[in-house]
Amino acid sequence: MKNTDLMDAMGGIKTEYIVESAASRGQKKVIPLSARKPWVRLVAGIAAAAAFSVALPNTSPQVANAMQNLPVVGNYFKLVTFRDYHYESRKHSADISVDKVAVSGVTGPATKEAKKSSQAVNREIVQETDRLTKEFKASLKKGGYGSLTVKTKQVTNNRYWYVVKLTAVQTQADSGESSRYYVFSKASGKQVKLGDLFKSGSNYQKAISQNIIKQMKQEMKAEKNKSYFLKENGNPDGFSQIKKKQQFYINKKNQVVIVFNQGEVGPMSMGSQSFVLPNKLVAKLQR
């Protein structure tokens, strides 16, 4: 994203935007776009992290007992608004309200890792937002109608986990929605990938995929309007196995939820799809 106002660059209707910073302690102030200063990119120092393993508290008694000793901290991770602007013309509109992940109210061994992880995630959020905004700006020259909505949302914030969701909805000839999830462990302060949850060599991709296919078949049998794309049904592009970098999150009940964006495993009309993994399966893959 260049250091120019989206409104000024595109000649759309100027509105006001809200800025909230850690320094303002949660206080928001409305600033006219005409007085906006150039936005400074987040600088994220990303250190190479060694592989680590995180066990889910509801499936590992040892980890559950250890995590009971975690101190009750303040916000630990929280969302702080750093980009909020709008664009509107007769044929195009943009509504982008993006937060960054901040670390506060906690001290201890995990603090350093939490700050490093949040910086890395913030850089990713900025890069994705910049990419989407650039595509939107390019679409203005093509004519027709189009819109872009980008939002961040806190999904889970319990004793063990903090999860942030970045969602983008793009509308041109068709509309499409995609989401990214960022999962943080409060025990280690680190961002957690799906493979980090399971024992090395567990072949979690195959085991999880088999369970998801089973759930898909059960849903299609129970609901006639559901139709998943399955490779085993003769669809060469159908679903057979989750990706190594599969989108997932951990819900408020500490359950692992596998997520597919709109159109990935079923018709666009079905929207995004999610599958909660059985606790027994997760526990088995951790042993």
Side-chain angles (χ1 to χ4, degrees), residues 155-156 158 161 163 249-257 276:
V155 176
T156 302
N158 61 22
W161 308 101
V163 181
Y249 69 93
I250 297 174
N251 63 21
K252 296 175 182 178
K253 296 180 180 180
N254 298 317
Q255 297 170 302
V256 180
V257 183
V276 179

Side-chain angles (χ1 to χ4, degrees), residues 250-276:
I250 297 174
N251 63 21
K252 296 175 182 178
K253 296 180 180 180
N254 298 317
Q255 297 170 302
V256 180
V257 183
I258 302 298
V259 182
F260 298 95
N261 282 321
Q262 186 177 19
E264 272 194 277
V265 294
M268 294 289 287
S269 59
M270 284 175 53
S272 60
Q273 297 296 310
S274 60
F275 300 87
V276 179

Side-chain angles (χ1 to χ4, degrees), residues 22-131:
S24 65
R25 296 180 181 178
Q27 299 298 316
K28 296 182 178 180
K29 59 181 180 179
V30 179
I31 303 175
L33 279 171
S34 58
R36 178 184 174 189
K37 294 180 179 180
W39 176 75
V40 181
R41 289 180 178 272
L42 291 171
V43 179
I46 304 178
F52 62 97
S53 178
V54 182
L56 294 175
N58 66 322
T59 58
S60 174
Q62 295 83 0
V63 174
N65 291 334
M67 294 189 77
Q68 291 301 321
N69 297 321
L70 283 175
V72 177
V73 296
N75 289 322
Y76 199 164
F77 293 105
K78 65 177 182 180
L79 291 179
V80 179
T81 302
F82 79 97
R83 181 181 294 179
D84 192 349
Y85 56 80
H86 309 273
Y87 170 84
E88 188 174 353
S89 66
R90 288 191 306 110
K91 294 185 177 182
H92 295 86
S93 64
D95 182 9
I96 302 176
S97 299
V98 182
D99 301 320
K100 68 177 180 180
V101 181
V103 179
S104 67
V106 61
T107 57
T111 306
K112 185 177 180 181
E113 290 294 344
K115 289 180 178 179
K116 284 166 55 178
S117 298
S118 63
Q119 287 175 342
V121 166
N122 289 339
R123 190 177 77 166
E124 221 178 288
I125 290 174
V126 169
Q127 289 176 338
E128 181 64 7
T129 306
D130 286 349
R131 182 186 68 81

Side-chain angles (χ1 to χ4, degrees), residues 203-216 230 239-243 246 258 260 277 281:
N203 199 1
Y204 70 92
Q205 287 177 269
K206 181 179 180 180
I208 290 174
S209 301
Q210 289 175 342
N211 181 266
I212 290 174
I213 291 173
K214 180 180 178 181
Q215 290 191 49
M216 287 177 172
L230 294 175
F239 173 74
S240 61
Q241 183 166 290
I242 60 172
K243 303 171 184 176
Q246 180 67 43
I258 302 298
F260 298 95
L277 300 183
L281 172 63

